[in-house]
Amino acid sequence: MRIGAWRVALRIARRDALRAKGRSALIAAMIALPVLGVTGADVVHRSGQLTPAERVERVVGGADALVTSLDPGQTVEQAPIAEDGAFSVQPRPGEQPTAEQAKGASTDPAALVASLLPPGSVLTPARPGPEAGATSPEGLVRTLTTEADLGDPVWRGRLDLVEGRAPSAPHEVAVTRAFLDRSGLRPGATTTVQGLEGTTFTITGVVEHPGELGRVELVARPGELVDPLSTALAAAGPTAQKPSAARSAWLVRLPAGAPLGWSEVQRFNAHGYTLTARSVALSPPPEQAVPYYRDAHRYSDPTAANNTRMVVATVTGLALLEVALLAGPAFAVGARRSRRQLALLGAAGGSRAHVGAVVLGGGLVLGAAGAVVGVVLGTAVVAVLRPWIEQIGGARFGHFAVPPLDLIAIAGIGLVTALLAAALPALQAARRSVTAGLTGRDTVRGPNRLVTVSGVALLALGAVLAMYGAASVQRDQPGVGGYDTRTLTVLGGSVIAELGLLLCTPMLIALIGRAAGRLPLGPRLALRDSARHRSRTAPAVAAVMAAVAGAVAIGVYTTSTDAENRRDYRPQAPYGAVQLTSHAEGPRLAEERAELEKQLSGLGPRGDLGQVEYRFCDNCASTVQLKGPPERRGLGAPPHLATGDATVLHNLFGIHDPAAEQALAAGKLLVFDRALVGADGKAVMILRGGGGAPLQPGEIPKPDLQEVPVDAVLVDNPAAADFAQGLALPSALPGLGLAARPTGSVWLPATPPDRKAQQRAEAAAARLDRFSTLEVERGYQPKSDALTLALTGFAGLVVLGAAGIATGLAAADSRQDQATLAAVGAPPRIRRSMAGLQCTLIALLGALLGAVNGFVPAVGLLKSRAGGFGAKPALITAPWGELLLIVLLLPVVAGLLAALFTRSRIPLGRRLS
């Protein structure tokens, strides 16, 4: 075709689009929505990609470099920006340390760093402090700690003050927004830190880490928090929890003109330190000069980024597929509505190419309009919602990026999608005879048998391939995008099967139409009209099927995974049990128990809990265990014998057995695992450590390992055996040369206390024993599955939308038939019943096919995952609530809505003969 002919075709298409504004707006909106979503995702992604200058500023702030003691005494390898990756190089067996390694292990870190930097460099400590508890109105909140002089420009960009003022007086602190949200405090409030209860800190400002907005942290002035808190934790006693060793770090300001290049970075690495220098980040060395890039594959997963790209590409592809499936029937109906105009074009001498060009021009016009609107709106939405997007993403944008090439490509994809959707209607319009177009009659053709046979073959091939991949393909063979060959085989077979179902859809619709003869008038007309116009019905059914299959596959997979996690969950106590673990003893422990019972009402009887110990010298003790098979898989605590009375038997082990209670009161040892009791009714206690005890004059040395058989009473209860191997009465232990060490108490209230009450009780217990813990067994807590919920919602929208669109197009396409029915005296409700039943048919057929097809990949992936060595059998469950909603309820709702919004009467129109 010539350029002039295309101009005429586009002019006609533009006029048709303006004439049918409703249909045109619908098509443009379907094109614009996925373009809007992809545009927004691209702008967010590009804005979150930091330039080297932005990336290094979040690491070094206003300084020139950051030095961190990663592993002094070992050689380390790092990326040019160490926070992007660094690891210690493990020495070979027998390898002697280098001079740098020996110096790094023996020299004071601050002195070593100062000696490796240019003279005149200024070091600012940036060492993080230990995690601690801070008081809040509800009790305690766990928080990270650090120190910084926020008035010093060296911190800007790394730790920014965003509200209030910087701490300037003694015992003033700044906190992050996440700390305020979790604690319920506000600037101006006061808090104390667990371990430094005598010091009250006043909150004066709010700070943020630009790259970690969700960080819960308390920032004090230098010298007021980290060292005092570390000293208090270290002096808490041998049974207290010790703070983890934090890596020392320093922000470095260089003298004017002092160089700091890659050679200096490698010199620090040789001593076991990492160095992130602004000059190196802005002018990085070539990759071949960085050992980290050569060896990092042994310490990291290089496919994580590929997985993300695959997910994004899949979601984008599905969205565009839905658009093509739903927009295609709209273009087809538009072509049929304009068939008289197109027939006049052919009668006036236009060729088939000219007729097809007019329909294809409609796709070009509406696709371009939808793509442009989608790109503009997507960019604007991100700009307006930027603060919320940053907060949800947990990091600030480096800059607001509007990449022109990306946006042009996205708009181009939207345009191509519209053209593909209009291609088949254009071909059908070009093949329509001029006579049929002028008379308004279309010939009805049967479904293509070759297409149906191909669909059945693809369906069988996909099913066989998916089953073969789940059962026979070896695990862990390298694949693509981080997925192994078995997973890719299952997914590939599932996709092929779904394509086969898509090709079989026209034949299924035709078969349903043949069964309409025995139905009443309304359903008969609805089924026959849907079967006659398969080019309009089949894409809508396919769109519903594709969306429902994806939602069902993800739903079955996540629900089954959750069921497996629930099956493998091992509780620490019976459901609702409140367990106090304390290092206090004597009156202090009794006071702590009384305070908890005061804070938490309705706890019920208290069981005082302990462990059986073998004390072989002063201040020397070991935990007693029972001899038996290897440790039970999933045991919540190391194997041990608990001490307590009948209340502990009830509260911790959930056993109410009069015979067991009588045996315990008589001083017998209760054992809960049959494998720990011999045929003679005795259990063997293992006592360790006696060989190291000091000897008195004339005393015979004890063996380091003793096995002592004792009488035991078997209470066969696998659930109780998860909590402890057995239970003994404390008063019965001295006769065996053993002792009971109190560890806390356990209650079993009728209902577990809420989390706020638990937080208040924890704070009360911490005032008496800062290292005590209070745990409430709440059973298995499933994770929030936003993906399944989102996909279910998306599938529901597609079910309603696709069925509604197809029904609306059918109503617009069959106005002449409706007018004929009205002329021959058909009741008005026939039109409503036809619309409702057509809508129900499309939604129900697509949902049923999608539900069946969605099970295939989910079951295949679950079987594949469970096929490894030592793996438990797969547990296949389905989200029945979501399935019933999508498969049964939504089609009925769609039909009722279609019938409700369909007008009963239609004006009679002129019909050509």
Side-chain angles (χ1 to χ4, degrees):
M1 286 178 57
R2 298 179 179 178
I3 299 296
W6 274 109
R7 289 177 180 173
V8 174
L10 290 176
R11 189 181 303 123
I12 296 174
R14 179 176 59 83
R15 290 175 177 174
D16 283 345
L18 293 176
R19 185 180 300 113
K21 294 183 176 63
R23 186 179 70 245
S24 301
L26 177 64
I27 296 175
M30 285 192 290
I31 302 296
L33 283 177
V35 170
L36 184 151
V38 176
T39 299
D42 184 73
V43 171
V44 170
H45 174 67
R46 293 295 188 183
S47 300
Q49 287 184 321
L50 305 180
T51 64
E54 294 167 344
R55 179 73 181 94
V56 75
E57 183 181 22
R58 294 190 177 182
V59 176
V60 305
D64 298 303
L66 173 69
V67 179
T68 304
S69 58
L70 179 63
D71 194 357
Q74 297 290 340
T75 300
V76 303
E77 295 179 2
Q78 68 165 85
I81 298 179
E83 284 63 26
D84 292 339
F87 56 83
S88 301
V89 179
Q90 299 301 320
R92 298 185 180 90
E95 183 180 3
Q96 296 297 320
T98 64
E100 291 84 358
Q101 291 173 343
K103 184 178 180 181
S106 60
T107 308
D108 177 72
L112 178 61
V113 170
S115 66
L116 295 177
L117 289 170
S121 300
V122 178
L123 298 181
T124 301
R127 176 171 65 97
E131 183 178 345
T135 58
S136 69
E138 297 295 340
L140 282 178
V141 58
R142 304 302 299 179
T143 179
L144 301 174
T145 59
T146 190
E147 294 176 345
D149 181 5
L150 297 176
D152 191 341
V154 76
W155 293 97
R156 292 175 187 167
R158 176 182 170 90
L159 184 62
D160 295 329
L161 182 69
V162 295
E163 183 181 335
R165 62 175 179 84
S168 57
H171 305 146
E172 290 184 343
V173 296
V175 297
T176 59
R177 177 65 61 186
F179 179 94
L180 296 180
D181 294 339
R182 188 166 297 183
S183 65
L185 298 173
R186 291 292 178 264
T190 59
T191 184
T192 58
V193 177
Q194 190 179 11
L196 300 177
E197 286 81 358
T199 304
T200 300
F201 294 94
T202 302
I203 300 173
T204 63
V206 181
V207 295
E208 71 176 22
H209 295 266
E212 194 177 357
L213 299 180
R215 188 183 182 96
V216 180
E217 191 171 50
L218 187 146
V219 183
R221 300 169 69 236
E224 291 188 353
L225 181 61
V226 173
D227 288 338
L229 184 58
S230 299
T231 303
L233 294 177
T239 59
Q241 301 173 0
K242 294 295 185 286
S244 59
R247 296 170 180 169
S248 299
W250 299 267
L251 293 171
V252 180
R253 282 178 288 192
L254 299 173
L260 205 59
W262 183 245
S263 59
E264 284 75 20
V265 173
Q266 292 183 305
R267 189 167 62 193
F268 273 90
N269 294 163
H271 291 80
Y273 290 73
T274 62
L275 172 64
T276 298
R278 188 185 301 272
S279 55
V280 174
L282 298 180
S283 182
E287 286 195 7
Q288 56 269 23
V290 182
Y292 170 83
Y293 291 138
R294 180 190 65 235
D295 303 328
H297 67 278
R298 295 180 296 177
Y299 301 87
S300 61
D301 180 13
T303 63
N306 293 336
N307 294 346
T308 303
R309 295 191 189 99
M310 179 174 286
V311 171
V312 172
T314 302
V315 173
T316 304
L318 286 175
L320 295 177
L321 174 63
E322 296 293 336
V323 169
L325 290 173
L326 293 176
F331 283 115
V333 170
R336 279 198 295 273
R337 294 291 302 275
S338 303
R339 53 192 167 190
R340 180 174 175 81
Q341 176 182 318
L342 296 176
L344 289 175
L345 177 62
S351 65
R352 291 187 174 183
H354 293 139
V355 174
V358 172
V359 180
L360 203 61
L364 183 62
V365 170
L366 297 178
V372 171
V373 170
V375 167
V376 173
L377 287 180
T379 306
V381 166
V382 174
V384 173
L385 300 181
R386 175 176 178 176
W388 291 272
I389 295 173
E390 291 175 337
Q391 200 66 39
I392 294 173
R396 298 292 180 198
F397 290 168
H399 57 284
F400 188 77
V402 184
L405 294 180
D406 288 10
L407 300 185
I408 291 174
I410 293 171
I413 292 174
L415 179 59
V416 170
T417 303
L419 290 175
L420 290 176
L424 182 59
L427 181 62
Q428 293 173 341
R431 289 179 175 178
R432 184 181 294 117
S433 67
V434 175
T435 304
L438 290 175
T439 58
R441 296 168 181 167
D442 287 326
T443 56
V444 179
R445 299 179 181 179
N448 192 317
R449 294 186 178 180
L450 179 61
V451 173
T452 305
V453 171
S454 301
V456 172
L458 288 177
L459 180 61
L461 175 63
V464 171
L465 185 62
M467 290 187 292
Y468 170 76
S472 304
V473 176
Q474 186 176 355
R475 289 174 59 90
D476 300 328
Q477 291 184 354
V480 179
Y483 297 99
D484 60 12
T485 305
R486 172 182 284 191
T487 302
L488 291 175
T489 304
V490 173
L491 291 177
S494 304
V495 171
I496 293 175
E498 184 166 349
L499 291 176
L501 270 179
L502 286 174
L503 295 179
C504 294
T505 302
M507 177 60 75
L508 291 175
I509 296 173
L511 292 176
I512 292 175
R514 292 179 182 177
R518 299 179 180 179
L519 297 177
L521 177 61
R524 183 166 69 249
L525 292 176
L527 292 182
R528 287 180 175 175
D529 183 75
S530 299
R532 184 182 303 114
H533 299 286
R534 289 182 299 276
S535 61
R536 180 187 68 219
T537 308
V541 173
V544 174
M545 185 186 74
V548 171
V552 169
I554 297 296
V556 171
Y557 186 84
T558 54
T559 304
S560 300
T561 301
D562 185 75
E564 291 176 355
N565 293 337
R566 186 184 298 274
R567 175 194 63 189
D568 300 335
Y569 174 74
R570 291 295 178 265
Q572 302 297 316
Y575 175 77
V578 178
Q579 189 168 353
L580 168 68
T581 303
S582 176
H583 302 286
E585 295 181 358
R588 194 171 183 181
L589 178 56
E591 185 181 359
E592 191 172 354
R593 290 165 173 164
E595 183 65 24
L596 279 181
E597 291 178 330
K598 178 182 176 182
Q599 293 290 333
L600 299 174
S601 59
L603 287 178
R606 185 188 76 219
D608 293 337
L609 190 62
Q611 282 190 8
V612 179
E613 284 189 342
Y614 171 48
R615 296 177 181 173
F616 48 88
C617 69
D618 293 338
N619 297 322
C620 304
S622 63
T623 301
V624 177
Q625 300 177 3
L626 294 182
K627 183 179 180 180
E631 178 183 346
R632 291 171 56 90
R633 180 177 298 179
L635 191 65
H640 68 282
L641 289 173
T643 64
D645 56 11
T647 306
V648 173
L649 185 66
H650 301 160
N651 294 353
L652 180 61
F653 299 99
I655 295 176
H656 296 268
D657 185 351
E661 294 174 15
Q662 292 177 3
L664 180 65
K668 300 292 185 180
L669 173 67
L670 302 184
V671 180
F672 306 116
D673 189 348
R674 183 180 297 276
L676 300 177
V677 181
D680 57 355
K682 293 183 179 292
V684 179
M685 289 185 176
I686 299 177
L687 314 182
R688 292 185 175 89
L695 298 177
Q696 300 295 331
E699 185 178 359
I700 300 175
K702 297 178 181 179
D704 190 60
L705 180 66
Q706 303 178 58
E707 294 186 356
V708 180
V710 295
D711 292 330
V713 174
L714 176 63
V715 182
D716 195 6
N717 191 313
D722 282 339
F723 309 139
Q725 292 179 317
L727 178 66
L729 200 65
S731 60
L733 296 178
L736 299 173
L738 305 175
R741 177 174 63 85
T743 58
S745 298
V746 59
W747 297 264
L748 188 61
T751 57
D754 58 43
R755 297 188 184 275
K756 288 188 176 181
Q758 180 183 353
Q759 195 178 59
R760 290 193 297 268
E762 285 178 338
R767 286 194 292 268
L768 299 171
D769 178 9
R770 71 182 62 157
F771 299 107
S772 66
T773 59
L774 183 68
E775 296 180 353
V776 178
E777 178 55 54
R778 303 184 186 277
Y780 174 72
Q781 300 293 316
K783 295 181 179 179
S784 175
D785 190 7
L787 179 61
T788 302
L789 182 62
L791 284 177
T792 302
F794 171 73
L797 289 177
V798 171
V799 170
L800 295 175
I805 290 171
T807 304
L809 294 175
D813 193 31
S814 59
R815 286 194 176 186
Q816 291 186 355
D817 296 336
Q818 299 289 342
T820 302
L821 286 173
V824 298
R829 65 176 182 274
I830 289 295
R831 190 163 187 262
R832 286 183 180 271
S833 62
M834 283 185 60
L837 290 171
Q838 280 182 327
C839 189
T840 303
L841 170 67
I842 293 170
L844 183 61
L845 181 59
L848 288 174
L849 294 177
V852 173
N853 190 255
F855 268 90
V856 176
V859 174
L861 289 176
L862 290 168
K863 293 286 187 182
S864 171
R865 186 178 64 181
F869 176 76
K872 294 184 178 181
L875 189 60
I876 310 298
T877 58
W880 297 112
E882 288 84 349
L883 285 179
L884 290 175
L885 174 67
I886 295 176
V887 176
L888 295 180
L889 184 59
L890 281 180
V892 174
V893 172
L896 292 176
L897 290 176
L900 179 64
F901 289 102
T902 300
R903 289 183 299 174
S904 299
R905 298 185 180 275
I906 187 171
L908 297 179
R910 180 173 58 91
R911 186 179 181 93
L912 295 178
S913 58

